[in-house]
Amino acid sequence: MKINTAITAAVLCFAAMQAAAQITAPTATPTPMTNVYGRNPQLLNGKWAAIIDPYDQGVPKEIYLDRTPQNDTEFFEYAFDGGMRLEVPSDWNSQMPELKYYEGTIWYARHLLVGEKASPREGQCATTVEMPREDERLFLCFGAVNYRCNVYLNGSRICSHEGGFTPFEVEIGDKLREGDNFLAVEVDNRRRTDAIPAMAFDWWNYGGITRDVMIVRTPKVYVRDYFLRLGKDGGNKILFSVDLSEAASREVTLEIGELGISKTLKTDGRGHGEAVFETKKLKLWAPEAPYLYDVRLTCDGATIEDRIGFRRVAVDGTKILVNGREVFLRSISFHEEIPQRMGRACTQADARMLLSEAKELGANTIRLAHYPQNEYTVRMAEEMGFILWEEIPIWQGIDFTDTATSDKAHGMLREMITRDRNRCAICLWGIANETRPSQARNAFLKSLLDEGKSIDTSRLFVAAFDNAYFIRENDRFEMDDDFARNLDVVAVNKYMGWYAAWPKDPATIRWEICTDKPLMISEFGGEALYGQHGNAHRASSWSEEYQAQLYADNLAMFANIPNLAGISPWILFDFRSPYRFHPTNQEGWNRKGLLSDRGQKKKAWYIIRDFYRTKRNEQSKK
Ligand code: GCU
């Protein structure tokens, strides 16, 4: 190719990229519909066609058109048919060795075949979809895509979404045609300074369509959102609110058979409806008795099934109360990762594995680190009786001065709360992890906290701080962070014996932090390579003995914290992290797990198991 032609081609290509970047496609529906799984969804899971696009050439080449040569001179330097395949849901990193560290763009594609005439071409990834009836709408719903994506249908970009851990949806019923419909999803997991999380975070940057993809059929006017919870006044009043997709007046029927509730209400002109039910024989949800009711909502012939529990959570001085009873949070954290598979947890079976290990440890609480995890995990945790702390990934290095970043954080908070506020097991919404005090950070978090409290007053709000220090002249731990007082529960991450040496005998150390509020130790621990044994007093041994001693010392210190309301060891399993460099002790793994990446119990596991047994026996006497 002559130089000037090449330059022209490059300029045209760059211009096309710029143009594509400026197409302001509609973003995903502002707040996705509640409880997609309860709406009889059609799953689009399985093998999807894929193209790796590290130089972002897919847009200038318009590969979302999926063109095939129509004459002898035409050719295209791409094809989805007969090419690479990726499993959905899953991360791409664990599916091919070449993708282990990949950060960039990958295109996923699938054909939606509508009507009897449509049949898949040889080797095509396709799903048959019924054309919506006149009185129906069709939505394409994603459980999550990490980190940002553009969705194209039949050559048009129909929505974009940013945020790797919350659901989004886009209406497609009015865009489908008889026959073949080409769906392409351009996914980009590159880290960016204005992203949440930002440029460096201590977990693997798993990219891809990491959760279920579903099609949901609804009437023209449907129930978009609803919220069922116990009134806060201590009685057995159930509060119900419902919002339709449109500002329309429709009859909505709520049935909770076991409670003898079957109520049809009419929404007002805004599409909003409310009701209050007095119930006599309500069985409350609690960790030791996680009772859930079958709930059914009907509107214009469409039914939504759910399972909902009722409980009250509150703070009384330094205590956390569930249903009026003080509860000590015997917590554990885990990432959304199956270490044995070195990949994202994304199925019911994955949820069961992680939660069964938490149950065996004796936990009654899970801090879902550090982002909203998939609905299988949240719903199963509720069925199994775990109190949940769920958070958005405001994790260290966030740019608190950037308004666009603040908007993203608010969007993630709304998507998390809208998705899960009917999950009574969630008692704590977490809004930040290890952020540094500043005027910008305080304003950013206060704005988040205000919005969270405006959406949901039935839960506590928390944030984890890592700026608690031992002040030698006062001979105690203190924390100078004026934002902490805005929260219902104050949480501190502190790695005594690991990132900080013991200033004195752990059993003599005192804490004086927000002593009028419940305090949770939301992270502590140290690293040990399973099966490695050595000096219990030398960190560089990376030994199980050192980790076990560290745990014993921390528990001795915690005994002196007057307002301690719970602890959460970091972390249940060893987990993958790109900046854990040690060649033999880490090899890209953070080894703070109580369990190895193979699920083997380290000595420290038994220390926490025994401590939680003691706390559970104390709890049963309260
Ligand atoms: C921090 C952070 C965790 C991280 C941990 C560690 O407290 O919250 O996400 O993994 O420390 O250093 O292991």
Side-chain angles (χ1 to χ4, degrees):
M1 178 187 279
K2 291 198 200 72
I3 291 295
N4 61 339
T5 318
I7 290 169
T8 311
V11 167
L12 285 176
C13 156
F14 184 70
M17 282 170 71
Q18 290 302 329
Q22 272 133 26
I23 299 173
T24 48
T27 53
T29 312
T31 42
M33 63 180 81
T34 303
N35 187 12
V36 169
Y37 288 93
R39 299 171 189 254
N40 189 26
Q42 177 181 2
L43 285 173
L44 297 186
N45 293 349
K47 291 287 182 202
W48 285 47
I51 290 178
I52 304 175
D53 182 11
Y55 292 4
D56 287 314
Q57 290 302 297
V59 169
K61 287 180 187 294
E62 298 181 306
I63 64 174
Y64 47 85
L65 298 175
D66 192 33
R67 284 175 296 186
T68 51
Q70 301 304 308
N71 56 51
D72 292 347
T73 58
E74 214 173 31
F75 69 93
F76 295 102
E77 290 182 284
Y78 71 88
F80 282 99
D81 291 355
M84 177 180 150
R85 294 289 179 263
L86 284 177
E87 191 67 33
V88 168
S90 179
D91 58 276
W92 61 54
N93 314 72
S94 58
Q95 295 195 51
M96 295 170 69
E98 302 83 347
L99 296 179
K100 175 177 179 180
Y101 288 98
Y102 183 70
E103 292 184 307
T105 297
I106 290 187
W107 292 77
Y108 290 76
R110 192 162 195 82
H111 291 265
L112 306 182
L113 305 177
V114 177
E116 332 37 273
K117 291 199 296 293
S119 58
R121 290 201 298 260
E122 176 60 31
Q124 236 181 19
C125 294
T127 302
T128 303
V129 175
E130 261 184 64
M131 183 57 103
R133 298 193 311 266
E134 261 310 297
D135 62 349
E136 267 187 328
R137 298 169 75 174
L138 245 61
F139 290 87
L140 181 63
C141 306
F142 291 83
V145 176
N146 192 52
Y147 168 78
R148 60 182 69 78
C149 69
N150 295 308
V151 181
Y152 303 78
L153 183 63
N154 295 331
S156 302
R157 192 169 153 198
I158 58 172
C159 93
S160 304
H161 185 264
E162 178 172 347
F165 305 101
T166 45
F168 62 97
E169 71 196 27
V170 59
E171 184 160 10
I172 59 167
D174 50 352
K175 303 173 180 71
L176 288 177
R177 61 195 177 203
E178 279 289 333
D180 186 4
N181 295 268
F182 184 64
L183 172 65
V185 185
E186 177 191 10
V187 181
D188 171 9
N189 74 332
R190 292 178 183 88
R191 288 162 294 117
R192 285 184 26 180
T193 51
D194 65 347
I196 300 175
M199 289 306 288
F201 39 89
D202 195 17
W203 65 84
W204 209 264
N205 183 20
Y206 290 112
I209 303 179
T210 50
R211 294 184 193 159
D212 291 339
V213 182
M214 296 166 274
I215 284 182
V216 169
R217 319 176 80 85
T218 73
K220 288 293 184 200
V221 175
Y222 61 92
V223 170
R224 184 180 55 74
D225 186 20
Y226 58 92
F227 189 15
L228 261 172
R229 68 276 187 202
L230 204 51
K232 290 179 72 163
D233 63 4
N236 275 351
K237 250 188 226 156
I238 292 178
L239 310 181
F240 171 60
S241 54
V242 60
D243 286 290
L244 301 182
S245 54
E246 330 289 326
S249 176
R250 287 289 189 286
E251 287 194 341
V252 177
T253 300
L254 168 71
E255 292 168 275
I256 311 178
E258 195 179 337
L259 292 175
I261 291 175
S262 175
K263 164 90 176 177
T264 299
L265 60 77
K266 211 162 174 64
T267 56
D268 61 24
R270 293 171 301 138
H272 178 75
E274 291 180 10
V276 177
F277 304 95
E278 281 291 348
T279 60
K280 298 277 178 290
K281 50 188 188 334
L282 189 64
K283 289 181 201 148
L284 297 183
W285 181 95
E288 63 280 1
Y291 199 83
L292 300 174
Y293 287 90
D294 290 327
V295 173
R296 175 181 296 155
L297 275 165
T298 312
C299 176
D300 276 2
T303 300
I304 304 170
E305 312 274 352
D306 208 341
R307 280 178 57 74
I308 291 184
F310 301 97
R311 58 97 188 98
R312 205 169 280 110
V313 64
V315 160
D316 177 12
T318 61
K319 296 179 175 56
I320 295 174
L321 308 181
V322 174
N323 304 327
R325 278 184 71 205
E326 181 188 359
V327 176
F328 183 86
L329 304 185
R330 308 190 308 267
S331 180
I332 189 68
S333 271
F334 53 69
H335 270 292
E336 188 173 53
E337 180 183 73
I338 301 299
Q340 297 88 336
R341 186 171 75 221
M342 293 172 68
R344 271 269 170 263
C346 56
T347 65
Q348 195 119 20
D350 291 343
R352 190 171 311 287
M353 190 282 277
L354 293 167
L355 293 167
S356 304
E357 289 290 357
K359 192 58 87 176
E360 188 183 351
L361 183 67
N364 67 359
T365 301
I366 294 168
R367 180 189 173 194
L368 294 169
H370 278 293
Y371 34 75
Q373 299 195 12
N374 67 73
E375 285 194 73
Y376 295 120
T377 298
V378 173
R379 285 176 176 273
M380 197 180 290
E382 184 170 70
E383 299 272 358
M384 292 173 69
F386 288 105
I387 291 168
L388 295 178
W389 160 338
E390 194 170 52
E391 60 191 66
I392 54 176
I394 301 282
W395 190 97
Q396 297 181 14
I398 299 294
D399 180 357
F400 293 119
T401 61
D402 181 354
T403 46
T405 304
S406 174
D407 293 345
K408 289 171 195 172
H410 280 263
M412 289 177 188
L413 184 74
R414 282 194 298 275
E415 289 169 352
M416 173 176 77
I417 294 179
T418 304
R419 188 193 81 172
D420 286 344
R421 65 179 177 171
N422 285 308
R423 307 279 70 79
C424 69
I426 296 173
C427 294
L428 296 145
W429 295 124
I431 61 168
N433 183 71
E434 304 192 347
T435 57
R436 291 283 165 280
S438 75
Q439 202 279 323
R441 172 269 224 161
N442 289 2
F444 187 105
L445 295 188
K446 185 67 172 65
S447 161
L448 269 184
L449 184 60
D450 291 347
E451 173 155 29
K453 284 189 172 290
S454 72
I455 303 173
D456 181 2
T457 58
S458 71
R459 288 178 175 81
L460 307 176
F461 283 80
V462 66
F465 299 89
D466 69 336
N467 44 346
Y469 300 105
F470 184 75
I471 308 301
R472 201 164 286 284
E473 52 272 30
N474 300 339
D475 190 31
R476 66 190 180 196
F477 267 96
E478 297 176 359
M479 182 168 81
D480 177 14
D481 193 320
D482 50 8
F483 182 73
R485 303 211 55 76
N486 293 291
L487 295 153
D488 301 306
V489 174
V490 178
V492 170
N493 297 347
K494 196 68 199 175
Y495 287 87
M496 292 311 294
W498 191 251
Y499 295 130
W502 291 103
K504 57 189 285 197
D505 170 8
T508 65
I509 292 178
R510 291 182 303 115
W511 284 55
E512 184 130 333
I513 293 176
C514 295
T515 49
D516 58 341
K517 285 176 176 285
L519 179 90
M520 188 173 170
I521 301 295
S522 38
E523 289 182 36
F524 71 98
E527 302 205 25
L529 183 62
Y530 173 77
Q532 185 150 297
H533 299 288
N535 187 323
H537 299 285
R538 181 173 305 127
S540 59
S541 69
W542 298 78
S543 65
E544 287 193 50
E545 287 73 16
Y546 184 84
Q547 187 190 44
Q549 182 60 54
L550 178 150
Y551 267 79
D553 291 344
N554 274 276
L555 292 181
M557 174 175 69
F558 297 158
N560 303 328
I561 301 179
N563 52 331
L564 186 68
I567 67 168
S568 196
W570 188 260
I571 186 168
L572 183 60
F573 273 98
D574 289 352
F575 63 96
R576 298 179 68 203
S577 169
Y579 57 71
R580 299 297 173 172
F581 301 138
H582 195 284
T584 54
N585 293 314
Q586 291 180 314
E587 301 174 282
W589 291 87
N590 181 314
R591 295 289 185 195
K592 294 191 183 70
L594 293 173
L595 298 168
S596 74
D597 53 294
R598 295 257 164 281
Q600 301 142 313
K601 295 177 174 71
K602 301 175 190 174
K603 288 181 183 300
W605 183 93
Y606 298 91
I607 291 179
I608 291 297
R609 189 276 311 269
D610 294 346
F611 177 71
Y612 280 179
R613 268 187 186 155
T614 308
K615 294 306 278 188
R616 185 175 54 221
N617 295 338
E618 286 170 11
Q619 176 78 37
S620 60
K621 296 182 184 105
K622 280 180 186 164

